[in-house]
Amino acid sequence: MFEKIALIGIGLIGSSLARVIRCENLAGHLAISTRSADTLKRAEQLKLGDSYTTDPVEAARNADLVIVSVPVGASGAVAEAIGPVLKKGAILTDVGSTKASVIAQMAPHVSQGVHFIPGHPLAGTEKSGPDAGFPDLFKNRWCIFTPLPDTEPAALERLSEFWRRCGANIDTMDPAHHDMTLAIVSHLPHIIAYNIVGTADDLEAVTKSEVIKYSASGFRDFTRLAASDPTMWRDVCLHNKDAILEMLARFSEDLASLQRAIRWGDGDKLFDLFTRTRAVRRSIIEAGQDIDAPDFGRQAVGSPEKKTAE
Amino acid sequence: MFEKIALIGIGLIGSSLARVIRCENLAGHLAISTRSADTLKRAEQLKLGDSYTTDPVEAARNADLVIVSVPVGASGAVAEAIGPVLKKGAILTDVGSTKASVIAQMAPHVSQGVHFIPGHPLAGTEKSGPDAGFPDLFKNRWCIFTPLPDTEPAALERLSEFWRRCGANIDTMDPAHHDMTLAIVSHLPHIIAYNIVGTADDLEAVTKSEVIKYSASGFRDFTRLAASDPTMWRDVCLHNKDAILEMLARFSEDLASLQRAIRWGDGDKLFDLFTRTRAVRRSIIEAGQDIDAPDFGRQAVGSPEKKTAE
């Protein structure tokens, strides 16, 4: 599909892209760049690309498609470095979880004739680094573009086709709506998960070993999100501040009301909320966005004969 | 192991017990009782026991072991009903998520010579009803007893052996510590999950269909707990109020501090918390209380060829 694709950053998303680009034969040449020499070496050992460099400029030169997959706080520096060497007609995109901030950081460094199309594949796991990627990561997941007013439809369609071949479905929306939507479906859940795991870790009355031992009764569900990449999530919090603070305020207000219902023994109010939330899960399963197996299908934990089958 | 076991309540826990009692051949006769005629009929269709009745008194009469598996708010009424007919030497236990309240409700109705041993298997899924049970539910999970001061060691050992044959590991602790521990590892996670799903459901700026469509980016992890049985969780909130309010207060305090770090752009503080929580997940996986597969092993969602293999 592209003669040369450059991947700047080779973590979970970058390395998954590298793998699917290889599987689907989407690039004549795949250039990989990352800041850390150790990570680059690991990418080379994994044979993720055709050329490897710690210099993003070298990777981006002559590329037809450049995909920036770095923590959102680093997007500006990458754009500043590679901006001058991007060739006319090239597509520049990213995969960041915040869009207004990424546009503000990157757009000033993009020359005329380069198609800058901010993007965000809603895919990932709690694992990070080049070993964590896999080619199916984007399958049946959404990739959201937040095109700028002057985006050429042909370039957008070409990038959309690329992501479709990676397995994703395409949506477009404006950056502010993206950031508000992600604040509730992704950023708030991660922040809440980090927070509750922190609260449990700080208790004196209940020991850490008790929290761990008895975690299957609910707590462990939060620990997966709370094991996500700290740098990525620090940057998300710093770069989608307004939308996150808005969602946090709503969450806290609702929690205060729920707390009051518990304090005053308002069983009907509790029952109504607990019934309403059940319907949301049903819709998610019907939409194919989660599996219906009890316990996310992991009831086999600790059962040796089933473990082997995994 | 027992000549006659009576199960009062045949939901997820009761019906899992029925299945494992059958598989492991732990009862000469298994009597099943539940309040709802429809549920009882379903249990009979599933051939979960040897006799079926909507009258708990009939089931409990002459039983050597009576296991009460009803929402904790209903424990008192069940104990009041069956108390007078329990035979001398019988063991009476329960499976409720709160212990101080269950003891307060049940103990007054237990005659001398009956061994009342409050219990709580830390096992479950988000599914409920007699169809939801399965014999492996308790495998490698913890069953906590909160014995009363006058509990006979021989009776406790007999009940422990029963639960070990059901697959569980045994712990004992005092009721207050149980209730505090469960408040953090189970009750708070469920309440937080119910709350965030409610918050998302109430938004105007982001539509319900967007929340559902994009839920794989984090939100869906919370919807599983928030799909748990509303009656059970209403009762837990009402019957472990003090410990839950204490944990909610700590959680909210920590969240306010995290919110402040986001507002003021304190990246180091965010990074430190997000790093510390990662270690907790590692410990849970090392303790065999969760699987290490990315995304709880469910990355196959929406991938038809893998779905078939599940």
Side-chain angles (χ1 to χ4, degrees), chain A residues 126-128 139 171 177 185-186 194 199 201-202 205 210 213-214 217 219-224 226-227 241 251 254 263 276-278 281 288-290 292 295-296 298 301 305, chain B residues 126-128 139 171 177 185-186 194 199 201-202 205 210 213-214 217 219-224 226-227 241 254 263 276-278 281 288-292 295-296 298 301 305:
Chain A
E126 70 278 21
K127 310 279 179 177
S128 41
K139 210 162 185 172
D171 261 341
H177 188 66
V185 298
S186 177
Y194 280 122
T199 301
D201 199 39
D202 282 343
E210 285 175 319
K213 199 167 163 184
Y214 305 131
S217 46
F219 180 72
R220 63 175 177 164
D221 275 25
F222 292 76
T223 61
R224 189 185 78 78
K241 194 170 85 170
F251 173 86
D254 292 344
R263 190 179 300 280
R276 181 156 70 95
T277 51
R278 239 183 180 180
R281 174 132 189 103
Q289 294 300 314
D290 208 341
D292 193 24
D295 251 339
F296 299 128
R298 67 183 168 188
V301 176
E305 63 281 18
Chain B
E126 69 277 23
K127 310 282 181 177
S128 40
K139 209 161 184 171
D171 261 340
H177 188 65
V185 298
S186 177
Y194 280 122
T199 301
D201 198 40
D202 281 343
E210 285 174 319
K213 201 167 161 183
Y214 306 132
S217 46
F219 180 72
R220 63 175 176 163
D221 275 25
F222 293 77
T223 61
R224 188 184 80 77
K241 195 171 83 169
D254 292 344
R263 189 178 301 281
R276 180 156 70 96
T277 52
R278 238 182 179 181
R281 173 130 190 105
Q289 294 300 316
D290 208 341
I291 58 175
D292 193 24
D295 250 340
F296 299 128
R298 67 184 168 192
V301 176
E305 64 281 20

XYZ file of all heavy atoms in Angstrom, chain A residues 126-128 139 171 177 185-186 194 199 201-202 205 210 213-214 217 219-224 226-227 241 251 254 263 276-278 281 288-290 292 295-296 298 301 305, chain B residues 126-128 139 171 177 185-186 194 199 201-202 205 210 213-214 217 219-224 226-227 241 254 263 276-278 281 288-292 295-296 298 301 305:
723
model
N -2.946 -3.982 28.839
C -2.194 -3.415 29.944
C -0.693 -3.633 29.790
O 0.092 -3.151 30.607
C -2.686 -3.995 31.270
C -2.361 -5.464 31.522
C -3.333 -6.436 30.832
O -4.000 -6.036 29.855
O -3.414 -7.597 31.280
N -0.282 -4.337 28.753
C 1.131 -4.627 28.542
C 1.765 -3.514 27.719
O 1.088 -2.847 26.945
C 1.290 -5.946 27.778
C 0.498 -7.099 28.379
C 1.213 -7.706 29.554
C 0.379 -8.841 30.142
N 1.080 -9.501 31.240
N 3.084 -3.332 27.834
C 3.737 -2.329 26.999
C 5.074 -2.824 26.474
O 5.582 -3.855 26.904
C 3.889 -1.015 27.785
O 4.262 -1.250 29.114
N -8.135 -5.610 15.421
C -9.255 -6.314 14.821
C -10.562 -5.998 15.525
O -10.674 -6.180 16.744
C -8.975 -7.823 14.887
C -9.605 -8.582 13.772
C -8.952 -9.937 13.619
C -9.522 -10.651 12.407
N -8.763 -11.876 12.135
N -14.006 5.706 12.276
C -14.933 6.774 12.631
C -14.199 8.101 12.521
O -12.972 8.132 12.676
C -15.423 6.613 14.072
C -16.790 5.949 14.150
O -17.497 5.959 13.125
O -17.130 5.419 15.207
N -14.788 16.610 20.697
C -15.711 15.522 21.033
C -14.947 14.225 21.302
O -15.313 13.455 22.193
C -16.741 15.330 19.915
C -17.821 14.350 20.307
N -18.725 14.605 21.317
C -18.103 13.093 19.869
C -19.522 13.560 21.465
N -19.164 12.628 20.604
N -14.873 7.022 28.384
C -14.749 5.577 28.103
C -13.366 5.015 28.418
O -13.204 3.804 28.533
C -15.128 5.204 26.641
C -16.592 5.541 26.355
C -14.190 5.838 25.638
N -12.379 5.875 28.548
C -11.029 5.354 28.735
C -10.257 6.048 29.867
O -9.717 5.387 30.746
C -10.261 5.505 27.417
O -8.934 5.086 27.560
N -6.456 3.230 38.839
C -5.203 3.577 39.523
C -5.504 4.022 40.958
O -4.812 3.658 41.902
C -4.491 4.724 38.793
C -3.698 4.333 37.563
C -3.967 4.877 36.305
C -2.628 3.429 37.654
C -3.220 4.553 35.174
C -1.868 3.100 36.536
C -2.163 3.660 35.298
O -1.422 3.326 34.200
N -5.468 3.247 46.893
C -6.156 3.261 48.197
C -5.937 1.937 48.929
O -5.602 1.919 50.115
C -7.676 3.496 48.007
O -7.870 4.743 47.337
C -8.403 3.536 49.345
N -3.585 -0.176 48.533
C -2.169 -0.360 48.827
C -1.755 0.405 50.091
O -0.746 0.089 50.714
C -1.368 0.140 47.610
C 0.049 -0.395 47.584
O 0.238 -1.564 47.929
O 0.967 0.368 47.220
N -2.534 1.415 50.449
C -2.179 2.303 51.567
C -2.810 1.911 52.895
O -2.540 2.551 53.913
C -2.664 3.733 51.265
C -1.733 4.445 50.294
O -0.588 3.979 50.133
O -2.149 5.454 49.713
N -5.313 -1.303 58.148
C -6.188 -2.291 58.802
C -6.237 -3.609 58.031
O -6.457 -4.666 58.609
C -7.596 -1.727 58.951
N -3.349 -9.635 52.267
C -4.780 -9.951 52.264
C -5.457 -9.397 51.009
O -6.298 -10.056 50.391
C -5.457 -9.389 53.523
C -5.143 -10.203 54.772
C -5.708 -9.582 56.049
O -5.634 -8.342 56.209
O -6.203 -10.331 56.885
N -4.427 -11.732 48.226
C -4.994 -13.066 48.398
C -6.485 -13.112 48.042
O -6.965 -14.065 47.432
C -4.819 -13.405 49.882
C -4.891 -14.825 50.268
C -4.360 -14.912 51.729
C -4.758 -16.206 52.373
N -4.339 -16.249 53.798
N -7.221 -12.096 48.457
C -8.669 -12.115 48.291
C -9.144 -11.287 47.099
O -10.327 -10.965 46.971
C -9.344 -11.603 49.577
C -8.914 -12.356 50.822
C -8.515 -11.678 51.966
C -8.903 -13.748 50.844
C -8.111 -12.373 53.106
C -8.495 -14.450 51.973
C -8.103 -13.752 53.106
O -7.702 -14.442 54.223
N -12.381 -11.419 44.488
C -13.758 -11.039 44.796
C -14.143 -9.670 44.233
O -15.195 -9.139 44.597
C -13.983 -11.103 46.308
O -12.939 -10.481 46.996
N -11.672 -6.811 43.357
C -10.554 -5.881 43.242
C -9.658 -6.142 42.025
O -9.217 -5.209 41.361
C -9.731 -5.977 44.539
C -8.536 -5.089 44.585
C -8.679 -3.721 44.730
C -7.252 -5.608 44.477
C -7.564 -2.895 44.785
C -6.139 -4.790 44.518
C -6.294 -3.434 44.672
N -9.412 -7.405 41.722
C -8.460 -7.721 40.640
C -8.885 -7.135 39.295
O -8.041 -6.863 38.454
C -8.250 -9.229 40.520
C -9.499 -9.997 40.137
C -9.222 -11.482 39.911
N -10.472 -12.165 39.620
C -10.560 -13.368 39.089
N -9.484 -14.036 38.779
N -11.744 -13.904 38.857
N -10.197 -6.941 39.094
C -10.641 -6.375 37.819
C -10.034 -4.997 37.568
O -9.834 -4.601 36.421
C -12.171 -6.236 37.792
C -12.859 -7.534 37.364
O -12.248 -8.605 37.547
O -13.991 -7.467 36.848
N -9.769 -4.256 38.647
C -9.221 -2.908 38.510
C -7.714 -2.914 38.282
O -7.156 -1.951 37.777
C -9.519 -2.090 39.766
C -10.971 -1.792 39.951
C -11.846 -2.762 40.405
C -11.476 -0.544 39.644
C -13.191 -2.493 40.572
C -12.821 -0.269 39.806
C -13.686 -1.238 40.273
N -7.082 -3.991 38.727
C -5.622 -3.989 38.680
C -5.084 -4.107 37.255
O -3.954 -3.728 36.996
C -5.041 -5.136 39.542
O -5.502 -6.390 39.038
C -5.466 -4.975 40.991
N -5.905 -4.617 36.343
C -5.436 -4.727 34.970
C -5.206 -3.331 34.387
O -4.114 -3.016 33.899
C -6.454 -5.497 34.110
C -5.929 -5.842 32.732
C -7.001 -6.495 31.875
N -7.940 -5.551 31.326
C -7.706 -4.760 30.281
N -6.546 -4.795 29.673
N -8.636 -3.920 29.843
N -4.864 -0.648 35.993
C -3.874 0.046 36.830
C -2.461 -0.477 36.601
O -1.518 -0.009 37.233
C -4.255 -0.081 38.306
N -2.305 -1.444 35.695
C -0.973 -1.939 35.352
C -0.526 -1.377 34.002
O 0.489 -1.786 33.456
C -0.983 -3.470 35.311
N -6.666 17.408 30.330
C -7.012 17.865 31.672
C -8.465 18.303 31.808
O -9.179 17.840 32.711
C -6.088 19.029 32.024
C -6.091 19.403 33.464
C -4.976 20.378 33.768
C -5.417 21.796 33.482
N -4.404 22.775 33.998
N -18.325 12.099 38.246
C -18.171 10.827 38.957
C -18.252 11.040 40.468
O -18.960 10.317 41.184
C -16.831 10.181 38.578
C -16.490 8.960 39.382
C -16.955 7.711 38.990
C -15.717 9.048 40.534
C -16.653 6.577 39.738
C -15.417 7.921 41.282
C -15.878 6.687 40.877
N -21.759 11.859 41.676
C -22.584 10.651 41.717
C -22.193 9.764 42.896
O -23.047 9.153 43.537
C -22.434 9.853 40.408
C -23.041 10.595 39.228
O -23.813 11.542 39.445
O -22.727 10.227 38.067
N -25.319 5.495 53.495
C -25.368 5.978 54.891
C -26.798 5.965 55.433
O -27.046 5.579 56.558
C -24.794 7.395 54.982
C -24.595 7.862 56.418
C -23.993 9.257 56.528
N -22.675 9.397 55.919
C -21.536 9.011 56.484
N -21.558 8.424 57.670
N -20.390 9.190 55.872
N -29.997 -0.653 36.656
C -29.791 0.119 35.430
C -28.431 -0.202 34.795
O -28.308 -0.298 33.563
C -29.841 1.596 35.817
C -29.679 2.583 34.734
C -30.323 3.903 35.121
N -29.620 4.623 36.183
C -28.714 5.579 35.970
N -28.378 5.918 34.743
N -28.140 6.212 36.967
N -27.418 -0.379 35.628
C -26.071 -0.597 35.090
C -25.945 -1.961 34.409
O -25.102 -2.148 33.538
C -25.032 -0.505 36.226
O -25.430 -1.366 37.305
C -24.950 0.914 36.754
N -26.797 -2.894 34.805
C -26.782 -4.217 34.179
C -27.066 -4.127 32.682
O -26.492 -4.859 31.874
C -27.880 -5.066 34.819
C -27.359 -6.298 35.439
C -28.440 -7.178 36.012
N -27.742 -8.330 36.571
C -28.309 -9.348 37.175
N -29.619 -9.368 37.319
N -27.599 -10.347 37.633
N -24.052 -3.289 30.407
C -23.188 -4.428 30.061
C -23.811 -5.275 28.941
O -23.116 -5.670 28.017
C -22.924 -5.315 31.278
C -22.158 -6.576 30.904
C -20.996 -6.868 31.785
N -20.172 -7.950 31.258
C -19.025 -7.788 30.641
N -18.523 -6.569 30.489
N -18.334 -8.813 30.184
N -20.693 -6.510 20.503
C -19.457 -7.251 20.194
C -18.216 -6.616 20.792
O -17.103 -6.886 20.341
N -18.390 -5.777 21.829
C -17.232 -5.100 22.416
C -16.745 -5.778 23.700
O -15.821 -5.307 24.343
C -17.537 -3.613 22.654
C -17.747 -2.821 21.365
C -16.526 -2.829 20.443
O -15.407 -2.635 20.866
N -16.746 -3.078 19.145
N -17.382 -6.867 24.080
C -16.837 -7.682 25.164
C -17.422 -9.087 25.033
O -18.419 -9.283 24.334
C -17.139 -7.098 26.558
C -16.063 -7.491 27.592
O -15.325 -8.463 27.361
O -15.965 -6.800 28.615
N -19.177 -12.575 26.585
C -20.246 -12.819 27.558
C -19.855 -13.888 28.577
O -20.586 -14.149 29.509
C -21.524 -13.239 26.803
C -22.744 -13.202 27.715
O -22.704 -12.468 28.715
O -23.718 -13.916 27.430
N -16.864 -13.821 34.286
C -15.506 -13.492 34.728
C -14.569 -13.225 33.565
O -13.384 -13.577 33.645
C -14.932 -14.678 35.533
C -14.828 -14.341 36.995
O -14.799 -13.150 37.325
O -14.768 -15.267 37.799
N -15.055 -12.622 32.502
C -14.259 -12.386 31.289
C -13.667 -13.688 30.754
O -12.619 -13.682 30.096
C -13.117 -11.394 31.559
C -13.555 -10.031 32.005
C -13.034 -9.460 33.153
C -14.473 -9.307 31.269
C -13.420 -8.188 33.566
C -14.864 -8.030 31.667
C -14.344 -7.473 32.822
N -12.250 -16.044 32.436
C -10.996 -16.472 33.069
C -11.232 -17.369 34.265
O -10.384 -17.460 35.149
C -10.194 -15.255 33.476
C -10.883 -14.488 34.581
C -10.170 -13.238 34.977
N -11.074 -12.474 35.815
C -10.866 -11.257 36.227
N -9.797 -10.626 35.857
N -11.743 -10.645 36.990
N -8.574 -19.810 36.186
C -7.393 -19.471 36.990
C -7.171 -20.495 38.090
O -8.091 -20.816 38.833
C -7.552 -18.086 37.658
C -6.360 -17.811 38.571
C -7.678 -17.024 36.618
N -5.518 -28.184 34.912
C -5.838 -28.878 33.657
C -6.335 -27.891 32.602
O -6.078 -28.061 31.422
C -6.839 -30.020 33.870
C -8.224 -29.636 34.376
C -8.251 -29.379 35.882
O -7.175 -29.157 36.465
O -9.345 -29.396 36.467
N -20.364 -12.445 37.558
C -21.401 -11.425 37.431
C -22.762 -12.027 37.076
O -23.754 -11.307 36.996
C -20.977 -10.378 36.388
C -20.953 -10.870 34.945
C -19.684 -11.609 34.568
O -18.997 -12.142 35.474
O -19.368 -11.694 33.354
N -22.813 -13.329 36.877
C -24.062 -14.000 36.501
C -24.826 -14.416 37.759
O -24.227 -14.638 38.801
C -23.764 -15.248 35.673
C -22.799 -15.011 34.510
C -23.486 -14.359 33.336
C -22.513 -14.159 32.186
N -23.149 -13.604 31.008
N -26.137 -14.557 37.653
C -26.880 -15.021 38.820
C -27.958 -16.025 38.423
O -28.265 -16.198 37.250
C -27.475 -13.834 39.584
O -27.981 -12.849 38.724
N -12.927 -23.551 43.094
C -11.588 -24.106 42.931
C -10.522 -23.019 43.087
O -10.552 -22.001 42.381
C -11.486 -24.721 41.532
C -10.509 -25.866 41.479
C -10.775 -26.722 40.256
C -9.866 -27.929 40.231
N -10.262 -28.858 39.168
N -9.660 -20.140 55.363
C -9.095 -19.154 56.283
C -10.112 -18.888 57.372
O -11.316 -19.048 57.147
C -8.811 -17.830 55.543
C -7.357 -17.713 55.147
O -6.519 -18.413 55.731
O -7.050 -16.924 54.231
N -12.925 -8.039 61.138
C -11.819 -7.970 60.178
C -12.270 -8.467 58.798
O -11.874 -7.906 57.774
C -10.612 -8.771 60.677
C -9.407 -8.570 59.820
N -8.766 -7.343 59.707
C -8.739 -9.401 58.977
C -7.759 -7.449 58.857
N -7.722 -8.689 58.396
N -11.638 -5.278 49.219
C -11.343 -6.160 48.081
C -12.572 -6.467 47.231
O -12.443 -6.910 46.094
C -10.661 -7.493 48.489
C -9.314 -7.250 49.151
C -11.558 -8.351 49.348
N -13.760 -6.230 47.765
C -14.952 -6.622 47.014
C -16.035 -5.545 46.980
O -16.520 -5.173 45.917
C -15.510 -7.918 47.619
O -16.697 -8.298 46.980
N -20.357 0.186 39.804
C -21.749 0.608 39.603
C -21.794 2.120 39.375
O -22.522 2.615 38.517
C -22.595 0.270 40.836
C -23.067 -1.171 40.938
C -22.746 -1.958 42.043
C -23.873 -1.735 39.956
C -23.204 -3.274 42.158
C -24.338 -3.052 40.066
C -23.996 -3.811 41.171
O -24.453 -5.099 41.276
N -22.546 6.992 35.961
C -22.093 8.307 35.488
C -22.081 8.346 33.960
O -22.578 9.292 33.343
C -20.670 8.612 36.024
O -20.691 8.585 37.443
C -20.184 9.980 35.549
N -23.740 6.530 31.935
C -25.094 6.358 31.420
C -25.885 7.677 31.456
O -26.864 7.835 30.725
C -25.798 5.293 32.290
C -27.022 4.697 31.621
O -26.956 4.449 30.398
O -28.036 4.492 32.307
N -25.440 8.594 32.274
C -26.169 9.851 32.483
C -25.679 11.016 31.628
O -26.249 12.098 31.688
C -26.015 10.297 33.955
C -26.947 9.531 34.880
O -27.901 8.921 34.376
O -26.701 9.562 36.095
N -23.285 14.906 26.796
C -22.302 15.279 25.771
C -21.807 14.062 24.982
O -21.405 14.184 23.829
C -21.128 16.003 26.416
N -22.175 5.800 21.915
C -20.722 6.024 21.862
C -20.020 5.328 23.026
O -18.955 4.725 22.854
C -20.411 7.529 21.876
C -20.702 8.200 20.539
C -20.526 9.725 20.571
O -20.933 10.359 21.572
O -19.992 10.264 19.601
N -19.981 1.659 22.094
C -19.128 1.400 20.929
C -17.646 1.445 21.287
O -16.858 0.636 20.809
C -19.434 2.515 19.931
C -19.101 2.268 18.514
C -19.795 3.369 17.678
C -19.180 3.511 16.323
N -19.797 4.625 15.556
N -17.263 2.417 22.091
C -15.847 2.638 22.381
C -15.422 2.056 23.733
O -14.354 2.386 24.251
C -15.547 4.142 22.339
C -15.963 4.807 21.048
C -16.688 5.992 21.049
C -15.627 4.240 19.812
C -17.077 6.600 19.862
C -16.013 4.833 18.624
C -16.740 6.006 18.655
O -17.112 6.600 17.474
N -11.895 0.528 25.307
C -10.722 1.300 25.708
C -10.609 1.460 27.225
O -9.798 2.257 27.690
C -10.724 2.649 25.002
O -11.992 3.248 25.069
N -13.551 1.261 29.743
C -14.837 1.270 30.437
C -15.428 -0.126 30.639
O -15.989 -0.438 31.697
C -15.799 2.151 29.635
C -17.167 2.264 30.211
C -17.406 3.004 31.359
C -18.245 1.630 29.607
C -18.675 3.112 31.892
C -19.518 1.733 30.129
C -19.733 2.474 31.275
N -15.302 -0.978 29.623
C -15.978 -2.289 29.715
C -15.509 -3.120 30.904
O -16.265 -3.954 31.405
C -15.790 -3.077 28.410
C -14.351 -3.410 28.109
C -14.215 -4.297 26.876
N -12.805 -4.498 26.582
C -12.324 -5.444 25.810
N -13.141 -6.282 25.207
N -11.035 -5.567 25.606
N -14.276 -2.905 31.368
C -13.787 -3.665 32.522
C -14.677 -3.465 33.747
O -14.784 -4.358 34.585
C -12.363 -3.237 32.885
C -11.313 -3.981 32.058
O -11.657 -4.423 30.952
O -10.167 -4.118 32.519
N -15.284 -2.272 33.853
C -16.118 -1.966 35.019
C -17.526 -2.537 34.875
O -18.222 -2.728 35.864
C -16.237 -0.450 35.210
C -14.948 0.195 35.596
C -13.954 0.429 34.663
C -14.725 0.556 36.913
C -12.764 1.013 35.029
C -13.531 1.149 37.290
C -12.539 1.377 36.341
N -17.936 -2.768 33.645
C -19.325 -3.175 33.436
C -19.588 -4.599 33.901
O -20.721 -4.958 34.169
C -19.731 -3.030 31.952
O -18.900 -3.881 31.151
C -19.575 -1.599 31.492
N -18.534 -5.396 33.993
C -18.738 -6.771 34.465
C -19.205 -6.762 35.923
O -20.261 -7.326 36.249
C -17.439 -7.579 34.332
C -17.623 -9.053 34.611
C -16.315 -9.813 34.572
N -15.561 -9.664 35.791
C -15.835 -10.299 36.938
N -16.851 -11.134 37.003
N -15.088 -10.119 37.999
N -20.457 -4.316 37.469
C -21.705 -3.546 37.546
C -22.893 -4.315 36.972
O -24.010 -3.803 36.923
C -21.545 -2.207 36.836
N -22.654 -5.543 36.534
C -23.752 -6.386 36.048
C -24.110 -7.449 37.085
O -24.899 -8.353 36.825
C -23.349 -7.057 34.728
N -22.371 -1.321 56.147
C -22.360 0.132 55.988
C -21.102 0.798 56.537
O -20.447 1.568 55.818
C -23.598 0.689 56.708
C -23.926 2.095 56.348
C -25.271 2.507 56.921
C -25.149 2.942 58.364
N -26.400 3.586 58.849
N -8.311 10.074 48.414
C -7.228 9.810 47.464
C -7.568 10.370 46.086
O -6.696 10.887 45.384
C -6.973 8.299 47.354
C -6.388 7.718 48.636
O -5.915 8.498 49.476
O -6.419 6.480 48.795
N -5.112 18.663 37.966
C -5.401 20.093 37.764
C -4.123 20.919 37.725
O -3.977 21.820 36.903
C -6.333 20.616 38.858
C -6.835 22.028 38.593
C -7.804 22.527 39.665
N -9.001 21.720 39.851
C -10.068 21.759 39.062
N -10.092 22.546 38.009
N -11.115 21.007 39.329
N 3.469 2.531 41.065
C 3.261 1.728 42.270
C 2.144 0.694 42.078
O 2.233 -0.444 42.539
C 2.883 2.695 43.394
C 2.631 2.097 44.725
C 2.866 3.149 45.807
N 1.861 4.208 45.823
C 0.790 4.208 46.619
N 0.572 3.192 47.417
N -0.056 5.214 46.621
N 1.088 1.084 41.368
C -0.063 0.201 41.207
C 0.264 -1.004 40.307
O -0.369 -2.047 40.413
C -1.249 0.972 40.607
O -0.812 1.647 39.431
C -1.770 1.998 41.591
N 1.245 -0.836 39.443
C 1.657 -1.938 38.567
C 2.138 -3.139 39.383
O 1.902 -4.294 39.029
C 2.820 -1.456 37.697
C 2.536 -1.554 36.258
C 3.695 -1.134 35.389
N 3.242 -1.309 34.011
C 3.957 -1.074 32.944
N 5.180 -0.641 33.058
N 3.461 -1.276 31.741
N -0.586 -5.511 40.691
C -1.072 -6.508 39.731
C -0.104 -7.684 39.617
O -0.531 -8.833 39.584
C -1.288 -5.873 38.354
C -1.636 -6.911 37.290
C -2.842 -6.567 36.463
N -3.258 -7.681 35.638
C -4.307 -8.450 35.884
N -5.072 -8.206 36.933
N -4.631 -9.446 35.093
N -1.487 -16.338 41.896
C -2.432 -17.225 41.209
C -3.871 -16.745 41.302
O -4.805 -17.519 41.109
N -4.085 -15.454 41.577
C -5.445 -14.939 41.722
C -5.942 -14.219 40.458
O -7.037 -13.668 40.442
C -5.552 -14.036 42.958
C -5.358 -14.794 44.280
C -6.378 -15.899 44.509
O -7.565 -15.727 44.293
N -5.910 -17.076 44.920
N -5.118 -14.185 39.426
C -5.605 -13.708 38.123
C -4.671 -14.251 37.048
O -3.562 -14.698 37.353
C -5.677 -12.172 38.052
C -6.758 -11.697 37.077
O -7.187 -12.493 36.204
O -7.184 -10.546 37.177
N -5.145 -14.239 35.803
C -4.305 -14.738 34.724
C -3.480 -13.588 34.156
O -3.868 -12.427 34.243
C -5.125 -15.413 33.600
C -6.170 -14.446 33.009
C -5.819 -16.646 34.131
C -6.909 -15.031 31.833
N -2.348 -13.926 33.572
C -1.422 -12.909 33.082
C -1.692 -12.562 31.619
O -1.057 -11.668 31.067
C 0.018 -13.420 33.252
C 1.034 -12.305 33.053
O 0.657 -11.131 33.244
O 2.183 -12.602 32.694
N -5.428 -8.257 28.595
C -6.879 -8.084 28.469
C -7.667 -9.230 29.089
O -8.735 -9.602 28.552
C -7.253 -8.017 26.969
C -7.679 -6.628 26.594
O -8.050 -5.850 27.479
O -7.634 -6.324 25.386
N -7.181 -9.791 30.176
C -7.824 -10.945 30.817
C -7.980 -12.107 29.833
O -8.893 -12.928 29.969
C -9.203 -10.589 31.378
C -9.204 -9.523 32.442
C -10.029 -8.413 32.335
C -8.381 -9.640 33.556
C -10.043 -7.430 33.322
C -8.391 -8.660 34.550
C -9.224 -7.555 34.434
N -9.008 -11.972 26.794
C -10.192 -11.914 25.939
C -9.934 -11.178 24.629
O -10.847 -10.662 24.011
C -11.338 -11.240 26.673
C -11.045 -9.794 26.927
C -12.103 -9.087 27.728
N -11.566 -7.816 28.134
C -12.109 -7.016 29.018
N -13.205 -7.342 29.607
N -11.547 -5.874 29.301
N -12.143 -11.157 21.200
C -13.478 -10.613 20.951
C -13.610 -10.132 19.511
O -12.786 -9.374 19.026
C -13.776 -9.412 21.875
C -15.131 -8.809 21.535
C -13.749 -9.843 23.311
N -12.646 -16.459 13.974
C -11.939 -17.737 13.968
C -11.511 -18.136 15.381
O -11.488 -19.303 15.731
C -10.742 -17.743 12.999
C -9.601 -16.782 13.312
C -9.916 -15.354 12.886
O -11.110 -15.034 12.700
O -8.982 -14.547 12.728
